[in-house]
Amino acid sequence: SASRLRRAWMDGRRNYFLGDDAFTAIRIPDAKTVAKKNDLDLAPTAALERQSLEAVRAYARDEIDSATTLAAVRAYAAVTGDLKPQAIRDYQHTLESRPWQQCPCAICREIGVEVIIFRGNNRNRRRGFHNTWQLYEQLRTLSPDAAPPPFQAELAL
């Protein structure tokens, strides 16, 4: 099924899977698109976008806390029109759980926190491939005698 692959970019909430748990990717859309869509000035919109991205990355490096990160994401979400209380709670759960650090797949090992940032086709596809790999691993544990995969593909960035 392509369900896990497609949910990476089609589902608004449960779009990153790790084991039996599902997390919400943090939406940080492109500032140019947001400014054009909402008839906003690009410079301040881009500044908020940059602050959100930098906050999420700094959080992943343990340089700031989740409250500071959520404040930056919330400020940009207010401009993008995505400021929903449930989304902020979901983002907090994702940040505090740090699922990208727990996942052994090549995508999470290579791009880290970038996998949970909902933004752009390439990033969303990578999350989809991560989800597909997670499903494969779950199915493999159901049948421990199953043959190993014929090859181990490395992530080409």
Side-chain angles (χ1 to χ4, degrees):
S1 167
S3 173
R4 290 275 182 106
L5 179 70
R6 294 185 69 225
R7 286 183 78 174
W9 63 87
M10 302 274 302
D11 195 309
R13 290 191 61 209
R14 298 171 46 90
N15 47 31
Y16 177 95
F17 295 90
L18 184 62
D20 293 331
D21 208 351
F23 298 90
T24 300
I26 299 167
R27 291 180 183 271
I28 306 176
D30 178 65
K32 289 180 186 175
T33 305
V34 170
K36 186 175 181 179
K37 177 182 174 186
N38 299 322
D39 196 29
L40 301 170
D41 288 333
L42 179 58
T45 305
L48 288 170
E49 171 200 33
R50 188 173 42 259
Q51 290 168 2
S52 292
L53 287 168
E54 288 172 3
V56 170
R57 291 169 180 154
Y59 177 77
R61 294 187 305 265
D62 292 321
E63 295 172 0
I64 62 174
D65 62 15
S66 64
T68 305
T69 305
L70 281 171
V73 170
R74 189 181 297 118
Y76 190 47
V79 171
T80 65
D82 290 331
L83 186 60
K84 298 176 184 105
Q86 183 62 50
I88 299 303
R89 286 191 294 275
D90 291 342
Y91 295 166
Q92 182 174 8
H93 174 67
T94 298
L95 288 169
E96 291 177 355
S97 298
R98 296 177 177 261
W100 66 91
Q101 289 181 339
Q102 301 168 34
C103 180
C105 82
I107 291 169
C108 292
R109 283 193 330 262
E110 292 289 325
I111 67 173
V113 74
E114 301 294 324
V115 74
I116 61 102
I117 299 174
F118 195 107
R119 161 193 184 86
N121 287 336
N122 286 339
R123 197 178 308 250
N124 295 338
R125 279 190 206 109
R126 287 183 184 130
R127 188 172 45 262
F129 294 139
H130 153 86
N131 288 344
T132 302
W133 183 84
Q134 281 289 313
L135 177 61
Y136 170 78
E137 287 298 307
Q138 284 181 310
L139 293 174
R140 222 166 53 104
T141 60
L142 293 175
S143 178
D145 297 330
F151 63 92
Q152 287 290 339
E154 287 298 316
L155 177 64
L157 294 176

